[in-house]
Amino acid sequence: MEPKRGEDVAIQSIRGMHDLYGAEMGAWSAVEKVVHKTFQDFGYKEIRTPVLEKIEVFSQTVGEDTDIVQKQMYTIERSDEQLALRPEGTAAFVRAVIQHQLHRLPGAQRFYYYLPMYRYERPQKGRQRQFFQFGGELINDASPEADAEIITLLDQIYKALGLSHYEVRINTLGDSESRAAYRKALEEYFRPLLGELSEDSKARFERAPMRILDSKHEADQSAVQKAPRIGEYLTDFAKAHFESVKQRLNQAGVSFIVDPLIVRGLDYYSLTAFEFVSDQLGAQSALGGGGRYDGLAERFGEKPIPAVGFALGMERLMLALEASQKMPKVPAGPFLYLAPLGAAAFERFYPLSLELKRHGLECELLYEKDKNLKWQLKQANRCGAQYALLLGEEEVAKGVAVLKNMSDGGQKEIGLDRIVEQLKQVHST
Ligand code: HAM
């Protein structure tokens, strides 16, 4: 019977959640490797938090008025506890910091994570219900140098992968004093315009008028464009902090633009906020984003912990790499296909295949005996091997095998003694 395929199968994965396999999985792994390495080069240590947290971890911190808390969390009730699948990493990270007192370690501490996140959003290109984020978080350091380091690190991740079609947009959300003054100014400005604003923005007006600036509704655009900007309401401290961040970014050679409309969709930020925006992604143009969140710990009843960080979406990163033709080249098949011609050759190749694997040389040997040369070469082509190693009765007698380069057809004899070393040499060139 023909196996069922794709759409015909009755049981499907959940909408907005995808399986990864084959060539796509290979490309993801290659990209993940570069991102892990860049974090490690910058001195960030990996941390993993559980996929489930008590719901308060997010509801108390991310902001009552945010989409995440209002409508996007996947929740589970179990033994009278309300739990949520992690919609974002930062609140869970700070929960772990406080639980393990990581902020008591001396000096700046650097962490990163690579974890799936869950948000009940309307799926579209670059927007899924399960998506993967790499995040970097730097705690115990309130300096503008820490903010600039975090932005430089995110920039370096994209640069290391060869991406260039993006803009770094930065803003300051001020300290609490600046924000109180700005909030008042925004309320005064938007109040007479309420009738013209979208329903979403009307709802935001009462609780978080600054988030109106983040509105994508057409109806809000003209009011948003003319709204007062935070610059005029900044305290000297907030102004100086932002100036230093910009100066440090210039020093680091990171190009950026100041965008006063970057307010972020999560509530816990203060001072620096930023987004990396690509023109190759369509509507979901944010490649990554973050900012400073010194006050988040207070939402867990702790003293403030200076902290700044970012998260980048893997799905969007892969889309951007595809659009820029910067997808890493992943070998289509194994290094070597072992082609035994006859029983004696198979007896030689079976232990050799395991020996090669132990030495880190990927090879394929099919456990089908008595196949002829034509069949073996067809299989070598099918699996995309770089080389095929042919061994017939004559070669066994001579103590050699024939190494065939599958891309140019060139062949040479190599001795069966010390064959592992010789293949290792071929592999490394
Ligand atoms: P965020 O802006 O909500 O920030 O998400 C960061 C990135 O995750 C986005 O720029 C986007 O690339 C990706 N992303 C978000 N939602 C989706 C989705 N539904 N489908 C695919 N990709 C998505 C945060 O999550 C903060 N925790 C970042 C942070 C870390 N701030 C400080 N530290």
Side-chain angles (χ1 to χ4, degrees):
M1 208 172 76
E2 276 283 295
K4 286 188 175 182
R5 295 178 52 153
E7 320 261 283
D8 301 337
V9 180
I11 299 178
Q12 304 267 328
S13 66
I14 295 167
R15 191 159 116 84
M17 303 199 184
H18 301 295
D19 302 311
L20 282 170
Y21 61 94
E24 190 183 12
M25 185 69 244
W28 272 61
S29 297
V31 171
E32 287 163 2
K33 217 164 153 183
V34 175
V35 184
H36 277 289
K37 178 166 188 316
T38 312
F39 272 116
Q40 285 155 14
D41 289 348
F42 274 64
Y44 287 65
K45 305 277 182 262
E46 191 168 7
I47 181 168
R48 288 190 196 166
T49 60
V51 68
L52 274 177
E53 294 276 355
K54 293 195 178 136
I55 198 166
E56 300 80 37
V57 169
F58 307 107
S59 58
Q60 275 178 25
T61 54
V62 171
E64 264 176 61
D65 183 57
T66 60
D67 289 346
I68 290 183
V69 170
Q70 289 213 332
K71 49 189 180 201
Q72 293 177 348
M73 273 199 285
Y74 281 88
T75 55
I76 296 175
E77 204 171 307
R78 195 90 218 179
S79 319
D80 292 337
E81 268 186 335
Q82 281 267 60
L83 310 174
L85 283 178
R86 176 185 49 221
E88 66 100 40
T90 309
F93 165 72
V94 174
R95 193 268 310 137
V97 166
I98 295 168
Q99 183 171 338
H100 306 292
Q101 298 286 288
L102 301 176
H103 56 301
R104 304 231 183 268
L105 296 170
Q109 301 293 325
R110 295 171 169 81
F111 297 93
Y112 82 97
Y113 47 82
Y114 179 47
L115 296 168
M117 307 288 160
Y118 301 85
R119 296 184 194 174
Y120 190 75
E121 299 199 71
R122 199 167 44 79
Q124 57 172 234
K125 183 179 162 201
R127 189 164 71 191
Q128 295 182 189
R129 290 179 174 174
Q130 173 182 273
F131 58 98
F132 285 81
Q133 279 187 347
F134 270 103
E137 315 284 4
L138 198 175
I139 62 165
N140 284 359
D141 194 321
S143 72
E145 284 76 17
D147 305 28
E149 173 187 314
I150 271 286
I151 296 171
T152 305
L153 167 55
L154 183 53
D155 187 58
Q156 183 55 35
I157 289 172
Y158 295 131
K159 281 192 179 137
L161 288 159
L163 271 192
S164 53
H165 283 266
Y166 62 86
E167 258 174 17
V168 182
R169 298 199 188 153
I170 66 168
N171 190 21
T172 179
L173 306 177
D175 49 14
S176 46
E177 200 182 320
S178 324
R179 260 205 315 286
Y182 186 44
R183 183 187 170 123
K184 225 166 128 210
L186 283 179
E187 279 168 357
E188 277 164 26
Y189 169 77
F190 281 121
R191 188 167 289 113
L193 304 173
L194 271 181
E196 299 159 30
L197 297 183
S198 67
E199 290 306 313
D200 278 348
S201 292
K202 276 183 200 146
R204 284 170 176 178
F205 177 78
E206 292 300 332
R207 281 193 286 190
M210 218 160 141
R211 294 216 45 242
I212 299 178
L213 302 179
D214 198 26
S215 166
K216 305 282 179 284
H217 287 282
E218 202 49 50
D220 300 331
Q221 293 314 307
S222 103
V224 165
Q225 287 308 324
K226 291 184 218 130
R229 300 301 192 225
I230 196 163
E232 301 155 45
Y233 303 91
L234 293 177
T235 59
D236 289 345
F237 166 74
K239 217 179 269 177
H241 187 95
F242 194 43
E243 284 312 309
S244 301
V245 173
K246 291 189 277 184
Q247 190 201 334
R248 292 301 189 196
L249 287 175
N250 283 328
Q251 207 176 33
V254 176
S255 320
F256 61 88
I257 56 169
V258 174
D259 180 350
L261 295 181
I262 297 287
V263 292
R264 308 281 296 130
L266 307 102
D267 233 17
Y268 45 61
Y269 295 109
S270 58
L271 298 171
T272 314
F274 56 88
E275 255 162 35
F276 282 52
V277 180
S278 165
D279 58 8
Q280 297 178 309
L281 295 179
Q284 300 307 315
S285 61
L287 270 175
R292 183 161 276 287
Y293 54 93
D294 301 350
L296 202 163
E298 285 177 296
R299 299 180 180 199
F300 287 116
E302 280 290 313
K303 292 209 184 90
I305 300 173
V308 58
F310 67 78
L312 70 90
M314 262 302 278
E315 289 77 8
R316 294 186 197 176
L317 171 55
M318 297 308 284
L319 287 172
L321 289 170
E322 179 94 59
S324 313
Q325 299 182 330
K326 293 286 181 190
M327 213 49 122
K329 302 262 174 298
V330 183
F335 160 63
L336 188 67
Y337 178 85
L338 293 171
L341 306 168
F346 185 88
E347 288 310 310
R348 289 287 190 119
F349 272 1
Y350 179 74
L352 176 65
S353 72
L354 299 176
E355 185 70 6
L356 290 172
K357 286 170 189 172
R358 287 192 186 118
H359 280 85
L361 299 181
E362 192 189 350
C363 61
E364 184 165 325
L365 170 68
L366 299 177
Y367 299 152
E368 300 203 39
K369 296 125 202 168
D370 304 325
K371 293 290 183 184
N372 63 21
L373 181 63
K374 192 172 160 210
W375 186 90
Q376 293 286 15
L377 287 178
K378 200 168 148 195
Q379 302 311 317
N381 265 318
R382 173 199 50 79
C383 75
Q386 285 167 264
Y387 291 90
L389 192 65
L390 315 173
L391 187 64
E393 269 169 39
E394 217 173 284
E395 284 83 18
V396 175
K398 264 170 73 182
V400 295
V402 176
L403 186 68
K404 182 179 172 78
N405 185 326
M406 294 301 292
S407 46
D408 64 17
Q411 351 193 112
K412 64 172 181 183
E413 280 190 356
I414 56 176
L416 282 174
D417 58 324
R418 295 184 53 247
I419 191 159
V420 176
E421 282 90 302
Q422 293 179 78
L423 288 170
K424 261 183 160 172
Q425 228 166 35
V426 175
H427 186 253
S428 64
T429 51

